[in-house]
Amino acid sequence: WNAPLDDPEHAKNACRAALAMHASLKELNGQWEAEALGEGKKFIPIHIGTGLNTGKCIVGNMGSDQRFDYSVLGDDVNLASRLEGQSKTYGVDIVIGPNTVAQAPDFAFLELDLIRVKGKIVPVHIFALLGDNAMKETPAFKNLETLHRQMLATYRSQKWDEAGRLIEECRPLSPALKTLYDLYHNRIAAYLSVAPAADWDGTFTATSK
């Protein structure tokens, strides 16, 4: 979005498209499962991860006589790719960068982590895109958002017992985030065994793309 034609809602449209893609995939998996059962075959669901980021990049036809494509290049493009790779780590469908959150504030987001992605030096706050504005305005999501924000704050303040308690309060509010809360539970257990460095600021350094 926003290339080759200007689109003032490019970040919002990216979020809408990502949510629509995953909603469509859920429907397709249902169809494929029914077809597989009808044919007596084993059903293997298709899963995808999506990374969204907003920033300056080069967009257009690029390449040579051997390979020529309409593509995108740039540091912010590379970050989007790294975010997609983290979807499996955090157990969420859509991982987005802070610039997208800033330009599409009406969607339901939860912060995932402060992470230094592979190949980068400066850490960034990354988020999960969970739903649209209708979801964002529900009392259930607002409650989860508040508890989740408190959990991250206590975790980064190294208040391990309080962070662990908040994790358990968050779990029943969103069972789909089990992988995320398991990840923080395991991190806390590790830090209780071996405390982080004195200059630890809550940043997690990713070792894989």
Side-chain angles (χ1 to χ4, degrees), residues 24-35 43:
S24 295
L25 180 61
K26 184 176 180 180
E27 293 179 2
L28 286 170
N29 273 321
Q31 296 175 18
W32 294 331
E33 183 177 17
E35 292 172 1
F43 170 65

Side-chain angles (χ1 to χ4, degrees):
W1 286 264
N2 215 37
L5 301 177
D6 291 342
D7 178 2
E9 292 201 344
H10 54 88
K12 294 179 180 179
N13 282 332
C15 291
R16 293 179 184 120
L19 290 169
M21 286 167 57
H22 285 271
S24 295
L25 180 61
K26 184 176 180 180
E27 293 179 2
L28 286 170
N29 273 321
Q31 296 175 18
W32 294 331
E33 183 177 17
E35 292 172 1
L37 291 174
E39 297 173 3
K41 297 179 180 179
K42 180 180 179 181
F43 170 65
I44 302 176
I46 300 297
H47 299 288
I48 62 172
T50 302
L52 292 182
N53 193 41
T54 301
K56 293 183 178 180
C57 55
I58 298 171
V59 185
N61 291 317
M62 289 172 272
S64 65
D65 291 340
Q66 286 73 38
R67 182 171 180 177
F68 191 76
D69 289 307
Y70 185 88
S71 187
V72 288
L73 294 173
D75 191 60
D76 286 304
V77 177
N78 294 337
L79 179 56
S81 176
R82 298 293 186 267
L83 297 183
E84 180 274 327
Q86 294 301 318
S87 62
K88 186 179 295 184
T89 300
Y90 293 93
V92 297
D93 290 336
I94 309 166
V95 181
I96 71 173
N99 290 341
T100 309
V101 172
Q103 295 189 37
D106 296 332
F107 291 80
F109 303 115
L110 285 182
E111 184 178 353
L112 293 172
D113 211 349
L114 176 62
I115 185 173
R116 184 179 293 108
V117 298
K118 191 173 179 64
K120 305 293 180 182
I121 297 176
V122 179
V124 294
H125 291 274
I126 63 173
F127 302 78
L129 171 59
L130 301 179
D132 58 12
N133 182 257
M135 179 179 182
K136 178 181 175 68
E137 295 303 320
T138 62
F141 178 78
K142 289 182 178 180
N143 187 28
L144 172 62
E145 184 180 32
T146 298
L147 290 172
H148 183 87
R149 188 182 294 115
Q150 292 173 355
M151 184 276 292
L152 286 178
T154 54
Y155 166 80
R156 290 167 182 162
S157 299
Q158 301 185 39
K159 299 176 181 177
W160 308 126
D161 290 341
E162 187 176 352
R165 177 183 61 78
L166 287 165
I167 287 172
E168 297 310 312
E169 290 189 37
C170 289
R171 284 185 187 276
L173 300 179
S174 185
L177 297 177
K178 179 182 184 303
T179 298
L180 173 64
Y181 292 126
D182 284 350
L183 181 149
Y184 274 98
H185 174 84
N186 293 335
R187 283 189 191 174
I188 290 171
Y191 286 138
L192 284 170
S193 176
V194 179
D199 61 349
W200 183 75
D201 62 356
T203 298
F204 173 76
T205 299
T207 56
S208 64
K209 295 181 181 181

